[in-house]
């Protein structure tokens, strides 16, 4: 099943009894977000708020808050098609009439990928427009107590290269609403929209921007997918959708816009203009701080007459972005070996905020090939911002981090298999180094034959300064002690004790709470979102 617009998906959720309509008045300042968080924590239904204070538009949240709803939104076809596309390379080499005929169904599917013009009279997005105070009455949500203001949290930001309008980008960049006609534009260092803005600034030109809200769920998925540069996200949306994406020319603006969107916010980002944006409670589970970002000047808004405003709430995992990220990794997994021949499978961990931790099963056909592949991974698209990368050549299910960790630790030699690189780029939202956009990276290898047997139970006696010790998995021990502020010398003393005792544990993690061992989400969030390799 594929959905041409968001409301088709809403109708199915209603029939599936996986959506709750809330008619009581709800405040978009903190209250709506808190209701959402309590529901998603219980893996509850999608939420449609029909009486939002200060707005005439209903708000939809938690569309993708369970794996089941994500699978329902996209169906099995995109994953099957992606595997077929990757597999066809082997089947068509060398090409032959018989081989091509055998792929006729794939060829037919690929002919459906692309964009098509929708007649303006039939485009729901052009049913209503506003030019005077265009953002007034938009139910932007304030999610956390220390947020700098209300934010548009599910914006699909569309830009085109000033050099070549055929090169477009569709990305999701949060937008703090400053007033009825301006917002922030949180373009990060690794995002395509930011590249387009940089090109425009060099020409001293304003960059036209169109922000889509709603439309086919495939649009939302394609906007956050870690696609290679110059691979059009609108084509990815069409591939997921299973048909050509209908677009209509904006009568007041430069861009073509999705005919089935709920809202389109249009305007320009002027060159060399910045304004403080933030704080914002982000997907790492911490507040990103106040920094200067470009300013989006809104000229007009198009919307359906009965438009539904889509929103999401981010914060400490797991939130909606976790389930979408999980789906996109499954969808794109077959393409990684094609793009990077030394990689057999790859996984980035949404529990850590995605960029903080990734792992791969790689080829080790000759000594240290895995290290060469590590450099290739760290140079590929958004993977360039990976902070900690773990590699093995053993066949493991990378989504099971405990299994991966045991596999690596059995083979890991710290003197030759751990590499730390300081003064590298970080995700803009990662503050562990104390410096915006900068930090460090690490690579940890565990390839070849095992070099040790791993302990599974801690039986080495009391450790001074440690109040609790629990294994996360074989070979990885989590111990609880005083905070760094209270006892900065504790890590050094702990290392001395373990070394003197000839510990059998190759990895010991000092944390605030040893109970993080009870779930993968708690362990990965605690360890890796707070972790800067060069410091820690």
């Amino acid at each position: 099943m594929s959905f041409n617009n968001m409301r088709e998906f809403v109708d199915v959720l209603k029939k599936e009894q996986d959506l709750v309509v809330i008619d009581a008045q709800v405040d978009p300042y903190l209250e709506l977000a808190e209701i959402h968080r309590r529901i998603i924590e219980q893996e509850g239904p999608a939420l449609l708020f029909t009486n939002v204070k200060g707005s005439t538009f209903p708000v939809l949240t938690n569309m993708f808050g369970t794996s089941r709803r994500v699978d329902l939104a996209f169906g099995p076809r995109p994953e099957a098609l992606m595997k077929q596309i990757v597999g066809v390379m082997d089947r068509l080499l060398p090409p032959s009439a018989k081989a091509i005929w055998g792929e006729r169904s794939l060829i037919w599917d690929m002919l459906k990928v692309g964009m098509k013009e929708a007649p303006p009279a039939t485009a729901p997005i052009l049913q209503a427009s506003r030019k005077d105070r265009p953002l007034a009455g938009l139910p932007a949500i304030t999610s956390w107590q220390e947020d700098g203001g209300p934010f548009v949290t599910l914006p699909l930001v569309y830009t085109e290269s000033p050099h070549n309008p055929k090169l477009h980008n569709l990305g999701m960049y949060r937008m703090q609403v400053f007033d009825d006609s301006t917002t922030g534009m949180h373009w990060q260092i690794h995002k395509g929209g930011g590249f387009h803005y940089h090109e425009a600034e060099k020409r001293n030109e304003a960059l036209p921007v169109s922000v889509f809200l709603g439309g086919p769920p495939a649009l939302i998925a394609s906007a956050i997918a870690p696609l290679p540069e110059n691979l059009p996200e609108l084509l990815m949306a069409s591939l997921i959708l299973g048909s050509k994406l209908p677009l209509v020319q904006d009568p007041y603006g430069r861009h073509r816009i999705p005919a089935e969107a709920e809202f389109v916010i249009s305007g320009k980002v002027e060159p060399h203009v910045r304004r403080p944006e933030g704080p914002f409670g982000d997907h790492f589970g911490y507040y990103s701080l106040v920094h200067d970002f470009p300013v989006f000047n809104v000229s007009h808004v198009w919307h359906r007459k009965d438009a539904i405003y889509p929103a999401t709430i981010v914060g400490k995992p797991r939130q909606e972005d976790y389930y979408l990220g999980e789906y996109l990794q499954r969808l794109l997994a077959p393409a990684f070996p094609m793009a990077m021949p030394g990689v057999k499978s790859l996984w980035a961990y949404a529990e850590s905020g995605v960029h903080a931790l990734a792992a791969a099963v790689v080829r080790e056909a000759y000594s240290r090939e895995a290290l060469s592949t590590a450099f290739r991974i760290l140079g590929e698209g958004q993977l360039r911002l990976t902070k900690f990368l773990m590699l093995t050549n053993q066949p493991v299910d990378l989504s099971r981090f405990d299994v991966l960790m045991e596999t690596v630790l059995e083979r890991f030699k710290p003197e030759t298999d751990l590499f730390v690189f300081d003064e590298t780029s970080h995700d803009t939202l990662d503050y562990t180094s104390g410096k915006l956009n900068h930090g460090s990276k690490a690579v940890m290898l565990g390839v070849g034959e095992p070099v040790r047997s791993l302990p599974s139970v801690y039986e080495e006696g009391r450790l001074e300064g440690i109040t609790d010790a629990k294994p996360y998995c074989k070979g990885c021990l989590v111990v609880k002690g005083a905070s760094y502020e209270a006892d900065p010398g504790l890590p050094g003393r702990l290392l001395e004790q373990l070394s003197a005792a000839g510990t059998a544990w190759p990895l010991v993690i000092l944390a605030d709470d040893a109970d993080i061992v009870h779930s993968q989400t708690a362990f990965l969030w605690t360890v890796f979102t707070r972790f800067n390799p060069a410091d820690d």
Side-chain angles (χ1 to χ4, degrees), residues 176-257:
Q176 181 175 344
V177 179
F178 296 137
D179 52 46
D180 290 341
S181 60
T182 58
T183 78
M185 186 57 71
H186 197 273
W187 276 321
Q188 300 171 31
I189 58 174
H190 58 295
K191 298 298 180 73
F195 296 154
H196 291 168
Y197 180 60
H198 180 65
E199 291 176 18
E201 274 199 319
K202 288 193 295 184
R203 297 156 64 118
N204 202 35
E205 296 176 354
L207 182 69
V209 175
S210 297
V211 177
F212 315 146
L213 298 178
L219 265 181
I220 298 174
S222 64
I224 64 173
L227 301 178
E229 289 178 28
N230 299 325
L231 179 61
E233 284 84 4
L234 293 186
L235 286 181
M236 183 67 179
S238 173
L239 184 145
I240 297 173
L241 187 62
S243 61
K244 292 186 183 296
L245 183 69
L247 302 176
V248 63
Q249 180 62 45
D250 182 345
Y252 302 149
R254 173 173 171 175
H255 298 145
R256 293 188 301 168
I257 59 180

Side-chain angles (χ1 to χ4, degrees), residues 406 453-459 469-477 504-506:
E406 290 176 358
S453 296
L454 300 176
S456 58
V457 179
Y458 181 72
E459 299 176 326
K470 296 179 179 178
Y472 169 66
C473 62
K474 292 180 181 179
C476 176
L477 184 69
W505 295 86

